[in-house]
Amino acid sequence: MRSDVVTKGLERAPHRSLFKAMGYTNEELSRPLIGVCHAHNEIIPGHAHLDKIVEAVKTGVRMAGGTPAAFATIGVCDGIAMGHTGMKYSLASREIIADSVEIVGQAHPFDAMILIPNCDKVVPGMLMAMLRLNIPAIMVSGGPMLTGRHRGKDVHLVSVFEGVGRVKAKTMSLEELAELEDDACPGCGSCAGMFTANSMNCLTEAIGLGLPGNGTIPAVHAARIRLAKQAGMAVMNLFHENIRPRDIATRQAFENAMAVDMALGCSTNTVLHVPAIAKEAGVDLPLDSFNKVSKRVPHICSLIPGGPHSMEQLHEAGGVQAVMHELLASRDGLHQDVMTVTGQTLGKNLKKARVKDREVIRTVAEPYHKVGGIAVLYGNLAPQGAVVKQSAVADEMLTHKGPARLYNSEEEAQKAILGGQIKAGDVVIIRYCGPRGGPGMPEMLSPTSAIIGMGLGTSVALITDGRFSGGTQGACIGHVSPEAADGGPIALVAEGDVVVIDIPNNVLKVEVDDAELARRKEGWQPPAPKITTGYMARYARMVTSGATGAVLKDE
């Protein structure tokens, strides 16, 4: 066993003494040592209940003959961090999470690990560490929050963000907004809807690194506790069979995950995280891979925020396993012979799956959209690509042409939108918000929600080298690469330039010729760093493009 180097032999008496200081017995030290990494805290609603998941996981480990040892890592609540300096630290936390888990996993040689995340950057960060360590491991998340109910309608966190715009537009009173604020988030769990956290938890299941149900069982259901116990037992099987994360997370497994991404209409943030996770597995996933999958895999689930159905309804309809079962009928299907953490191949797992609600999970022959939920756009405004959640774009905005309205920060844009300065037809551009320029590629949920709340969702587009919350809907195009801080074309756009968006043909361009863009580039100067000390200053110097997953440079 890997843990023998700290638990066995004469020379390890001091090590055993330290274990015994915590109450470990000789019997416990003779068993496989299983690391239980969690992100429980009291600042993220998706993580507030993870202590219960930890205890259930530890129970499962002990039931199967292992000795669990729990430790924690950090997390950021994107909703609480939204709209202020804190959002600059969100994406950057992914690397700290991955590094911290790697450090503990290497310093204390566990025989296997269970990782317990729930929210946006914690899931990919833990997956990245899992693949670096490459010891038998499994992921079990905390599960999605239930949708709230407000005046007879389903509501969620984004409903409150949009409510701010509605108050400004005088279509909602302050009193109703206060009532909505109380109703929208009814309890613990990752925010209700196919936002980034739930997207990544579903894709963990699709890759094969989480048990069936990991992505959709609600946080408050007893089935989530049972799943945690099953994960504790399952990791012991992975240990005995020596099945490791890189045996599971193959190129074929990532192709399956991208197919599920398209079918569900997941968050655009998956286009940052999936390539970053794949890199740790030694799998290269260039940005255009998503377009190739999108063209062959239809969008068969219409989930909040772009559609009417909730995560709970997706779970009741059969969850991710049912979606994957339906995708077997799509063009090229899925790779069924890949291994999963059940110890069985995907094909064997899917024999148990079935679709229970054909409105929530449609057939591939009669989908919500014939193409997948995400599109990557190219053109002289985004030579290296830009990303849009096309399944959440109104039909009338799939193609759009309008004048650029330029802002060099989210705060400037938000003030203009709520101040009524943006008109139908405009293309709002928020730049210098990329991985390096932000720094940290902050999300833009406040301005996108304000556009919806102000009644401009079907007439105004928003483009940024930053990124969007999974809760975003509308013609919102992010990850524009190269970013403005690197002198990308988005830095050279002038007020009033005509911007052309053609999502069906994957085009994003500005009607300015190459010679004029070159002339403007000659007069361009890189901006001064916005943060000059601490972690984010180091991050800005080391981070790569959004087109490569915003991973850090190897050097």
Side-chain angles (χ1 to χ4, degrees):
M1 293 189 299
R2 190 169 179 259
S3 62
D4 286 354
V5 300
V6 293
T7 60
K8 302 290 192 303
L10 172 65
E11 292 83 359
R12 299 311 183 217
H15 302 68
R16 291 192 296 273
S17 182
L18 290 168
F19 277 101
K20 289 178 178 180
M22 296 179 281
Y24 287 87
T25 65
N26 286 331
E27 173 62 25
E28 286 175 301
L29 295 179
S30 72
R31 297 175 178 178
L33 184 64
I34 311 301
V36 180
C37 176
H38 64 88
H40 170 250
N41 57 56
E42 296 179 351
I43 192 63
I44 305 175
H47 291 201
H49 66 304
L50 292 188
D51 54 336
K52 308 297 189 301
I53 305 297
V54 171
E55 290 307 312
V57 161
K58 289 162 67 176
T59 297
V61 169
R62 293 190 181 105
M63 288 167 64
T67 296
F71 66 96
T73 188
I74 66 166
V76 171
C77 176
D78 281 18
I80 294 173
M82 194 72 64
H84 59 89
T85 300
M87 179 45 66
K88 299 179 188 296
Y89 289 79
S90 174
L91 178 60
S93 73
R94 185 187 72 183
E95 315 309 314
I96 293 289
I97 293 162
D99 290 349
S100 67
V101 177
E102 177 192 5
I103 287 167
V104 178
Q106 292 288 18
H108 310 90
F110 301 116
D111 297 302
M113 286 184 69
I114 302 170
L115 299 106
I116 307 172
N118 212 26
C119 290
D120 295 34
K121 310 309 162 303
V122 189
V123 180
M126 285 189 178
L127 287 170
M128 290 163 70
M130 177 195 288
L131 288 160
R132 285 182 199 171
L133 291 166
N134 201 36
I135 60 175
I138 190 170
M139 184 85 81
V140 56
S141 75
M145 184 186 293
L146 298 179
T147 50
R149 293 288 291 173
H150 172 72
R151 300 189 178 185
K153 295 181 180 180
D154 285 345
V155 291
H156 42 82
L157 176 66
V158 178
S159 306
V160 187
F161 275 96
E162 292 173 357
V164 174
R166 291 194 170 98
V167 170
K168 288 287 186 178
K170 303 188 185 308
T171 58
M172 177 182 284
S173 67
L174 280 170
E175 291 74 20
E176 183 180 352
L177 179 61
E179 184 183 329
L180 175 61
E181 178 184 322
D182 288 344
D183 295 341
C185 299
C188 64
S190 46
C191 291
M194 191 51 75
F195 309 150
T196 304
N198 291 327
S199 294
M200 291 309 304
N201 284 322
C202 287
L203 295 191
T204 298
E205 183 178 336
I207 293 170
L209 293 171
L211 290 174
N214 182 70
T216 59
I217 297 173
V220 297
H221 282 201
R224 179 59 62 176
I225 299 297
R226 294 196 296 270
L227 184 75
K229 292 177 181 177
Q230 290 160 1
M233 293 184 283
V235 83
M236 295 305 299
N237 179 62
L238 295 174
F239 164 72
H240 291 301
E241 297 295 327
N242 195 29
I243 299 173
R244 298 172 182 247
R246 291 185 203 166
D247 299 327
I248 294 170
T250 61
R251 169 170 289 281
Q252 290 74 26
F254 282 106
E255 289 175 358
N256 286 346
M258 286 191 288
V260 172
D261 190 343
M262 297 304 163
L264 291 175
C266 289
S267 163
T268 53
N269 283 313
T270 61
V271 181
L272 285 173
H273 299 318
V274 172
I277 296 162
K279 182 177 184 289
E280 301 292 349
V283 175
D284 181 35
L285 285 183
L287 192 60
D288 197 50
S289 302
F290 289 86
N291 272 351
K292 292 176 182 177
V293 177
S294 181
K295 291 183 186 306
R296 67 176 177 82
V297 178
H299 176 225
I300 60 174
C301 298
S302 187
L303 302 164
I304 296 168
H309 299 132
S310 67
M311 292 300 299
E312 188 175 12
Q313 287 174 301
L314 176 60
H315 177 64
E316 292 169 352
V320 173
Q321 298 295 301
V323 171
M324 296 184 84
H325 187 272
E326 178 58 32
L327 290 181
L328 296 178
S330 65
R331 181 157 61 92
D332 299 329
L334 296 174
H335 302 285
Q336 297 185 59
D337 57 349
V338 295
M339 181 54 65
T340 73
V341 289
T342 66
Q344 302 290 333
T345 63
L346 177 67
K348 289 184 179 179
N349 291 346
L350 293 184
K351 288 181 179 179
K352 305 173 187 176
R354 64 187 180 92
V355 177
K356 302 174 185 177
D357 187 329
R358 278 297 180 190
E359 181 59 24
V360 177
I361 304 174
R362 289 192 176 179
T363 66
V364 294
E366 296 181 340
Y368 284 98
H369 300 97
K370 293 181 180 179
V371 293
I374 289 174
V376 180
L377 313 183
Y378 296 92
N380 68 349
L381 190 51
Q384 295 175 4
V387 182
V388 62
K389 187 173 182 176
Q390 61 184 346
S391 59
V393 178
D395 288 345
E396 56 264 50
M397 290 298 291
L398 289 171
T399 59
H400 181 75
K401 179 186 289 190
R405 304 297 308 280
L406 295 172
Y407 303 95
N408 290 339
S409 73
E410 179 183 357
E411 293 77 13
E412 292 176 23
Q414 179 77 344
K415 183 178 179 180
I417 295 164
L418 294 178
Q421 297 174 29
I422 302 303
K423 307 301 181 185
D426 286 347
V427 177
V428 176
I429 294 181
I430 307 176
R431 57 192 182 184
Y432 296 104
C433 295
R436 198 165 69 84
M441 210 176 183
E443 286 185 347
M444 304 288 177
L445 183 56
S446 294
T448 60
S449 298
I451 286 171
I452 298 295
M454 295 288 283
L456 298 170
T458 58
S459 60
V460 168
L462 195 155
I463 298 172
T464 182
D465 52 4
R467 60 193 179 92
F468 295 114
S469 162
T472 293
Q473 58 176 310
C476 300
I477 301 166
H479 309 196
V480 171
S481 300
E483 62 174 292
D486 286 334
I490 191 172
L492 311 177
V493 178
E495 183 79 14
D497 283 349
V498 176
V499 176
V500 177
I501 300 167
D502 185 349
I503 295 172
N505 290 303
N506 303 98
V507 171
L508 177 64
K509 66 181 183 179
V510 58
E511 290 188 337
V512 177
D513 62 38
D514 292 345
E516 173 60 17
L517 289 175
R519 187 191 65 77
R520 294 179 186 178
K521 183 68 177 286
E522 290 176 0
W524 176 82
Q525 293 292 327
K530 295 176 183 174
I531 297 178
T532 57
T533 61
Y535 173 60
M536 287 310 298
R538 297 195 303 276
Y539 178 88
R541 291 193 297 268
M542 298 171 65
V543 72
T544 62
S545 166
T548 54
V551 297
L552 299 184
K553 297 174 184 175
D554 291 329
E555 298 82 20

